[in-house]
Amino acid sequence: MSTSTLNTSANVPAVAWQRLREVPLLPAVAAAVVLFFVVAALAPHLLTSRDPFAIDLPNALQAPSLAHPFGTDQSGRDLYTRVVYGTRESLLIGLGATGLSMAIAVVLGVVSGLGGKIFDGLINRSLEVLFAFPVLLLAMLFVTVYGPSVTTQIVAVGLGTAPGYARMIRGQVLAVKNSGYVEAAHALGHSRWTVLRQHVFPNAMRPLVAVVTLGIGQSIVWASGLAFLGLGVAPPSPEWGALLDAGRMFITRAWWLEVMPGLAIVAIALAATVLGHHLQKKLEGARS
Amino acid sequence: MTATLEHTAITGTLRQELLKVRNLNVSFSTGRGRDARLTHVVKDVDLRLAAGECLAIVGESGSGKSVTARTLVGLPGANASVQAERLELAGHRIGTLGERQWRRLRGKDIGFVLQDALVSLDPLRPVGKEIEEALRLHGWGTTRSRAARAVELLASVGVPQPELRAGQRPDELSGGLRQRALIASAIALDPKILIADEPTTALDVTVQAQILELLGRMKERGTGIVLISHDLSVVATLADHVAVMQGGAIVEQGPARQVLYHPQHDYTRALLDAIPSEHTKGTPLSKDGRARITATSRRPRTTRPADAPVLRAEGLVKSYQGHDGVVRTVVDGVSFELRAGETLGIVGESGSGKSTTAKMALAMLEPDAGRVLLDGAAWTGISTAARRSRRRSVTVVYQDPLSSFDPRWNAERILLDALARQDYPGEAERAAQVRELAGQVGLQVEHLAKHPLQLSGGQRQRLAIARALAPEPEVIVLDEAVSALDVSVQAQVLDLLTDLQQELGLSYLFISHDLGVIHHMSDRVLVMKDGRAVEQGSAEDVFNHPRHPYTRELLASLPQLGLAPGQRNPPAAAGTPTTEGAHS
């Protein structure tokens, strides 16, 4: 007779995010953004015909217009061109710092996870000491001692972010080491090394794929933070953090000096993150 | 209306209809856009239940029984669409209720008990507070009277030392106590109807018996119980009516005695036949009978005099130091002999040390004292390297096959990995052997390309068995290997194991908490309690003439259909379906 319907709605933001992620458009846009920045890093002249260092004082501090889409800085240099040319150093810092921090983290994490009580205890306590300091503080300390350059920025951010990753990898290694399939492999009579090579390493490193892409964006943000504090690559380099630092003085008069390089940082970090999520889903989806 | 309902529920003189369901349909929408699909999981289900009765919904996983139960408490799940011609519960039309109205009803008129008490209880809240919360939400009593009522409720569900237990958190309680605490909170407000989804599945038999007795007492007091279970013997002790579900539809429904002892539908019959017990020994449990096994003895098996022990454990002891510094002896002086071609069943409840014993038999764990001998030579107490060459003589099948497979590997890769390199030098030979193994355990060639996650529970366990067979072992340790399977799948796997044993002359160390399975499979039985072997002997002796009081208690706790297949004509109740109280 009377037909009734029960509708159950789950938590709204979660559902919205789920839907957003299911749109294949988002990874496509992210890929396009990443591609743009890769081109900018490798061949910036393809994306702009201007010179990032060409001073044009009469046109200083122009608001964004058709001629200067991102506006101009205090010396009349085209900000868009500078952002494009700054990509190489910024990406280098992002990739380098992530690579370095991953390398440190993998070594520490694996040794900690497999090395038994003594190594695990030692590494864990040291990591806890490092955790006590904010990433930025560690990085600042390093740059202050060794002077600002691209290399020190990479090392500073890499060292600063490594403890977090090391902890994560240690957890992964421990989880895999105690998993049923590792026990099963031992029961089949495989040697310790075979088990490590066949099961522990590949499974423990699996989640890293996503973390790395997330880490790249994060590292760029950290490096920009350092540059903003005057501990980055020195001007007139168009590295994004340096641009932010330089624009700080004019923030009340020329908002675009802060907003435009900021947008570039947000764009690459977001795009890398979205791609990372997508990649992770693809990798895991293939198996389920 | 409510007043009269309560009245009749209490006196029980007039059997009030508590549950009226007609044409219930539940479907789930999955996917989005082009992938959108509607899965119909409950189809045209009709159910009725009167006060003081128990309706059991029986079926295997995927039959829709849990979704039916959850729909009855207004929690069908995300993306569910529920349609029903009639949906009345304890006098309320529940089809049109909103979430707020549901909250008022749930706990008050409708109690709900889930299978896993650990996830249903707040881990940070003492169980007494949990019960008080249920009372408070429905405005019952004062803070003080609620606390007293919580203790009273815990006592009423058979929790010893209820004052002490009320102040403890779920992780401080055993599984049985947790489940009782959950039931106590479900019945706190004396609901007219209690919906219990596999309330005893995770519990040991002796605890299960207590819970069933408790539910029986509630039924006598006039509570209507909807019991969801896959276990027909549990159902037999409690249910007045049984509905058998398959593929979302009820295939058979009627008075319990009729359904359980004179099943009309083939599926019900198959379900009943699949239950392993003392009567099924030596007979195939699954309908398709024996799987044809092509045993190709490539390697001559070690010939030994009949009855020679393959695996021998002498006085095994293992203890662990807990976080509180107290040393607990998990296995205490266990000895056994596993003879060639035989099955030794180790039975015991959780925490009895049977899995630890299995690990020592596998030499995955060194005993603190005692030793294990394999073919007369030391198997424990030697270096890992010295053991490696003989590792392949003893293999293992775990309860949860999924976690024992590397998630990156497909079935073929898993089996290839388990093959002994030296026996199959060529790639083609190895591939052929993998196919043969798959054939032996009844897996199709197309299953080989799949990842374990894409296989069904039964297929996964077959894959695990194939992997255990790959090294051509003499002994397979089966650690609760069929416990997670549906009864019909369990029947097939048990039949497969029996056939493999006969064809290949394997010895099984069969560990299970399920007495029926142990009885069905074992030649000899070892009963464990608190780390000790309390009784050991031939299966016949142990089950028919138990000497140790604990064995007797175990056997008495076992809910039984009590009849052998083909003998389903209980003389006492031939054709007189009655709704009697649960005095059993």
Side-chain angles (χ1 to χ4, degrees):
Chain A
M1 319 292 158
S2 70
T3 302
S4 47
T5 306
L6 281 169
N7 265 321
T8 316
S9 59
N11 152 358
V12 172
V15 168
W17 174 235
Q18 193 63 35
R19 277 184 195 164
L20 199 66
R21 284 203 311 182
E22 270 166 13
V23 178
L25 190 70
L26 203 58
V29 172
V33 171
V34 169
L35 186 72
F36 175 85
F37 284 114
V38 168
V39 172
L42 297 177
H45 56 273
L46 293 181
L47 296 172
T48 173
S49 53
R50 293 174 202 261
D51 178 350
F53 300 105
I55 292 175
D56 179 14
L57 286 173
N59 278 322
L61 295 178
Q62 294 284 310
S65 62
L66 276 180
H68 302 284
F70 284 13
T72 62
D73 69 3
Q74 69 280 12
S75 308
R77 292 174 291 205
D78 180 48
L79 194 57
Y80 167 73
T81 307
R82 287 179 66 73
V83 167
V84 166
Y85 274 85
T87 308
R88 185 178 301 171
E89 279 184 330
S90 291
L91 273 191
L92 196 66
I93 291 169
L95 289 169
T98 309
L100 181 73
S101 96
M102 284 294 161
I104 298 171
V106 165
V107 172
L108 288 182
V110 169
V111 170
S112 179
L114 296 175
K117 261 191 184 146
I118 298 172
F119 277 111
D120 192 29
L122 266 175
I123 292 173
N124 256 328
R125 295 299 88 73
S126 332
L127 289 180
E128 272 156 20
V129 170
L130 287 178
F131 267 128
F133 299 98
V135 176
L136 204 58
L137 195 68
L138 279 179
M140 277 167 67
L141 198 71
F142 189 85
V143 176
T144 316
V145 173
Y146 292 97
S149 73
V150 172
T151 320
T152 50
Q153 290 235 31
I154 289 175
V155 177
V157 174
L159 285 180
T161 50
Y165 296 133
R167 261 299 173 79
M168 198 197 77
I169 291 167
R170 172 181 173 269
Q172 282 293 321
V173 170
L174 282 180
V176 175
K177 196 175 81 169
N178 296 323
S179 71
Y181 52 91
V182 165
E183 189 180 329
H186 280 302
L188 279 172
H190 288 313
S191 71
R192 201 175 143 78
W193 172 243
T194 310
V195 174
L196 286 181
R197 188 173 47 81
Q198 278 193 336
H199 301 290
V200 178
F201 293 142
N203 281 298
M205 300 307 155
R206 225 157 56 118
L208 282 190
V209 180
V211 176
V212 164
T213 48
L214 295 177
I216 292 171
Q218 196 90 68
S219 298
I220 293 176
V221 174
W222 283 125
S224 305
L226 279 179
F228 182 77
L229 295 172
L231 295 171
V233 186
S237 160
E239 198 272 326
W240 297 343
L243 291 183
L244 285 178
D245 184 33
R248 189 161 45 114
M249 261 87 82
F250 306 93
I251 193 160
T252 48
R253 279 193 284 154
W255 54 269
W256 55 93
L257 290 183
E258 294 296 286
V259 170
M260 294 306 174
L263 277 182
I265 294 169
V266 169
I268 185 74
L270 199 63
T273 307
V274 167
L275 270 189
H277 269 303
H278 185 67
L279 212 61
Q280 189 179 30
K281 255 177 89 173
K282 267 278 161 68
L283 283 174
E284 273 161 19
R287 245 170 238 110
S288 51
Chain B
M1 167 97 180
T2 327
T4 51
L5 264 177
E6 260 162 20
H7 177 70
T8 49
I10 290 160
T11 58
T13 46
L14 204 153
R15 293 228 183 258
Q16 181 70 41
E17 284 250 295
L18 288 177
L19 177 68
K20 290 176 215 166
V21 175
R22 194 153 62 226
N23 259 330
L24 174 68
N25 283 279
V26 183
S27 41
F28 287 90
S29 52
T30 50
R32 209 160 293 287
R34 267 181 304 160
D35 299 332
R37 259 185 317 167
L38 206 65
T39 320
H40 206 167
V41 291
V42 175
K43 298 164 193 160
D44 301 329
V45 162
D46 296 344
L47 297 169
R48 303 188 88 83
L49 175 70
E53 289 190 347
C54 173
L55 165 71
I57 305 177
V58 181
E60 299 189 280
S61 39
S63 62
K65 61 185 193 302
S66 280
V67 174
T68 306
R70 300 188 70 92
T71 305
L72 294 181
V73 289
L75 301 164
N79 304 320
S81 131
V82 178
Q83 315 263 319
E85 213 171 280
R86 185 163 196 187
L87 202 53
E88 271 183 50
L89 203 68
H92 302 273
R93 288 173 175 275
I94 58 171
T96 49
L97 292 184
E99 187 49 39
R100 186 184 294 264
Q101 290 158 301
W102 261 119
R103 271 202 292 270
R104 218 172 297 142
L105 212 57
R106 243 182 261 137
K108 186 162 178 292
D109 288 350
I110 306 164
F112 189 38
V113 182
L114 276 165
Q115 178 175 354
D116 193 347
L118 192 54
V119 297
S120 308
L121 292 168
D122 185 338
L124 296 176
R125 192 152 52 172
V127 292
K129 289 269 177 288
E130 189 90 24
I131 299 169
E132 287 169 41
E133 178 70 9
L135 293 167
R136 194 188 60 79
L137 278 176
H138 296 282
W140 193 97
T142 62
T143 311
R144 185 167 301 177
S145 68
R146 282 198 291 266
R149 174 77 175 141
V151 172
E152 195 184 305
L153 279 163
L154 284 173
S156 78
V157 296
V159 172
Q161 297 173 282
E163 292 88 356
L164 171 77
R165 298 302 184 184
Q168 290 183 322
R169 287 188 303 274
D171 63 323
E172 297 174 279
L173 302 176
S174 69
L177 287 181
R178 275 202 295 267
Q179 194 69 26
R180 273 180 262 189
L182 189 64
I183 293 177
S185 75
I187 62 170
L189 286 137
D190 222 343
K192 299 185 191 76
I193 186 163
L194 183 72
I195 293 169
D197 190 356
E198 304 272 10
T200 62
T201 301
L203 303 177
D204 286 327
V205 276
T206 49
V207 183
Q208 169 172 289
Q210 291 161 4
I211 300 284
L212 290 178
E213 204 191 312
L214 166 70
L215 292 175
R217 279 202 306 273
M218 290 179 54
K219 197 173 79 163
E220 274 176 70
R221 284 207 308 264
T223 312
I225 298 176
V226 178
L227 175 71
I228 314 294
S229 184
H230 71 284
D231 188 336
L232 286 159
S233 42
V234 164
V235 164
T237 62
L238 201 64
D240 305 297
H241 296 274
V242 175
V244 181
M245 284 187 81
Q246 184 193 18
I250 290 180
V251 294
E252 183 164 1
Q253 174 159 220
R257 282 181 181 276
Q258 191 185 318
V259 174
L260 296 175
Y261 300 117
H262 306 280
Q264 300 301 306
H265 197 276
D266 285 343
Y267 178 69
T268 316
R269 247 179 254 136
L271 270 186
L272 286 160
D273 286 343
I275 301 171
S277 71
E278 53 180 315
H279 308 290
T280 55
K281 197 159 192 158
T283 56
L285 296 165
S286 54
K287 207 174 174 193
D288 38 315
R290 316 190 77 79
R292 267 185 304 283
I293 292 169
T294 50
T296 48
S297 311
R298 296 155 304 261
R299 204 173 56 176
R301 299 199 163 273
T302 31
T303 47
R304 67 171 66 70
D307 279 11
V310 193
L311 201 68
R312 198 184 148 90
E314 297 173 350
L316 297 180
V317 175
K318 187 76 200 174
S319 29
Y320 290 103
Q321 190 169 12
H323 289 293
D324 45 2
V326 180
V327 176
R328 286 179 188 82
T329 307
V330 181
V331 175
D332 192 2
V334 171
S335 304
F336 60 81
E337 259 184 28
L338 176 60
R339 296 179 193 152
E342 270 196 3
T343 300
L344 172 66
I346 300 185
V347 68
E349 305 196 315
S350 47
S352 62
K354 52 190 196 303
S355 281
T356 310
T357 306
K359 277 194 169 166
M360 288 191 278
L362 277 164
M364 298 295 288
L365 196 68
E366 278 293 326
D368 295 340
R371 58 176 185 163
V372 182
L373 301 170
L374 176 64
D375 286 327
W379 176 238
T380 55
I382 56 174
S383 74
T384 319
R387 201 155 38 221
R388 193 164 297 139
S389 62
R390 291 188 293 151
R391 266 270 173 240
R392 302 185 159 263
S393 308
V394 186
T395 57
V396 58
V397 177
Y398 298 100
Q399 173 173 10
D400 175 16
L402 195 55
S403 70
S404 77
F405 300 132
D406 190 313
R408 297 173 306 127
W409 286 0
N410 65 13
E412 184 173 23
R413 184 79 182 77
I414 287 164
L415 292 182
L416 278 173
D417 177 62
L419 286 177
R421 293 269 139 162
Q422 64 273 18
D423 292 352
Y424 306 96
E427 205 159 300
E429 278 177 279
R430 281 205 295 277
Q433 181 58 16
V434 163
R435 274 159 197 255
E436 188 174 323
L437 280 169
Q440 277 189 353
V441 298
L443 283 178
Q444 309 296 315
V445 175
E446 64 258 30
H447 293 141
L448 287 174
K450 292 193 172 173
H451 284 273
L453 264 177
Q454 299 164 312
L455 297 173
S456 71
Q459 288 164 347
R460 282 176 202 158
Q461 206 51 284
R462 283 169 194 272
L463 179 61
I465 293 169
R467 176 173 65 179
L469 288 176
E472 297 174 32
E474 297 173 68
V475 178
I476 300 183
V477 176
L478 299 143
D479 189 357
E480 298 278 7
V482 294
S483 306
L485 302 175
D486 273 330
V487 64
S488 64
V489 181
Q490 168 180 290
Q492 291 164 11
V493 172
L494 289 177
D495 285 351
L496 171 71
L497 287 170
T498 310
D499 290 351
L500 287 169
Q501 183 170 43
Q502 282 171 5
E503 297 288 337
L504 304 171
L506 296 163
S507 308
Y508 291 150
L509 190 62
F510 198 101
I511 289 139
S512 179
H513 70 283
D514 186 329
L515 289 149
V517 172
I518 287 281
H519 204 161
H520 177 80
M521 291 298 287
S522 308
D523 299 303
R524 299 176 58 76
V525 175
L526 173 75
V527 183
M528 285 189 73
K529 179 178 169 45
D530 300 333
R532 291 169 196 275
V534 296
E535 187 157 356
Q536 187 164 182
S538 76
E540 305 316 311
D541 281 353
V542 171
F543 280 97
N544 298 334
H545 313 288
R547 277 166 305 165
H548 196 276
Y550 177 68
T551 316
R552 286 193 212 117
E553 190 194 336
L554 267 187
L555 289 169
S557 310
L558 191 64
Q560 277 189 324
L561 282 165
L563 289 160
Q567 198 194 320
R568 263 180 215 123
N569 287 305
T576 50
T578 52
T579 48
E580 60 185 21
H583 289 287
S584 48

